[in-house]
């Protein structure tokens, strides 16, 4: 019986809940992109003997940049949604993101 996919889901759910207060389903795209990014980095590392390889516009390097941009967009969306909820008085701060945003809002006042 292969339990690896279930362990990945469980780990992703724990990280999502502790860091963002959300379920694995909300952060699933981020974890998928990180897995793909890992594969591309490992592929690129096998070609690292070429100085500046990461700056060449290869298909893999362009995809890595696309993945990084999409992860950033998704995370910014999660943060913006939580900020809006906190301003409306709906969100709780029982996770890492909530604590950080609460601290930032208190500091900026």
């Amino acid at each position: 019986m292969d339990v690896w996919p279930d362990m990945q889901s469980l780990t992703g759910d724990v990280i999502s809940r502790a860091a963002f207060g959300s379920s694995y389903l909300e952060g699933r795209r981020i974890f998928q992109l990180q897995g793909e990014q890992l594969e591309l980095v490992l592929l690129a590392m096998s070609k690292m003997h070429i100085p500046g390889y990461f700056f060449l516009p290869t298909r893999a390097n362009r995809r890595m940049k696309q993945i990084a941009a999409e992860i950033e967009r998704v995370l910014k969306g999660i943060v913006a949604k939580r900020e809006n909820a906190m301003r409306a008085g709906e969100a709780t701060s029982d996770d890492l993101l909530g604590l950080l945003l609460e601290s930032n809002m208190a500091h900026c006042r």
Side-chain angles (χ1 to χ4, degrees):
M1 180 176 206
D2 185 17
V3 297
W4 179 249
D6 293 328
M7 290 303 294
Q8 282 182 311
S9 295
L10 176 65
T11 304
D13 190 39
V14 169
I15 292 169
S16 292
R17 288 182 192 275
F20 305 115
S22 64
S23 69
Y24 176 71
L25 297 176
E26 190 171 347
R28 181 184 346 195
R29 182 68 181 147
I30 294 171
F31 291 108
Q32 289 171 344
L33 289 169
Q34 286 179 330
E36 185 180 347
Q37 186 83 306
L38 177 63
E39 291 174 15
L40 291 170
V41 167
L42 292 175
L43 175 67
M45 287 182 70
S46 68
K47 300 174 184 178
M48 271 264 199
H49 57 278
I50 302 170
Y53 177 76
F54 283 114
F55 299 108
L56 295 175
T58 64
R59 179 179 294 147
N61 289 348
R62 287 192 310 266
R63 179 64 185 143
M64 283 193 288
K65 287 181 184 178
Q66 289 172 346
I67 290 171
E70 186 172 348
I71 289 173
E72 184 176 339
R73 182 183 52 78
V74 171
L75 288 174
K76 282 183 177 181
I78 291 172
V79 171
K81 186 170 84 172
R82 179 66 69 84
E83 281 180 328
N84 292 336
M86 288 182 81
R87 285 189 185 109
E90 299 169 5
T92 61
S93 59
D94 59 349
D95 57 16
L96 180 61
L97 179 60
L99 292 172
L100 290 172
L101 288 175
E102 184 178 286
S103 172
N104 187 44
M105 287 180 171
H107 179 68
C108 292
R109 288 182 192 167

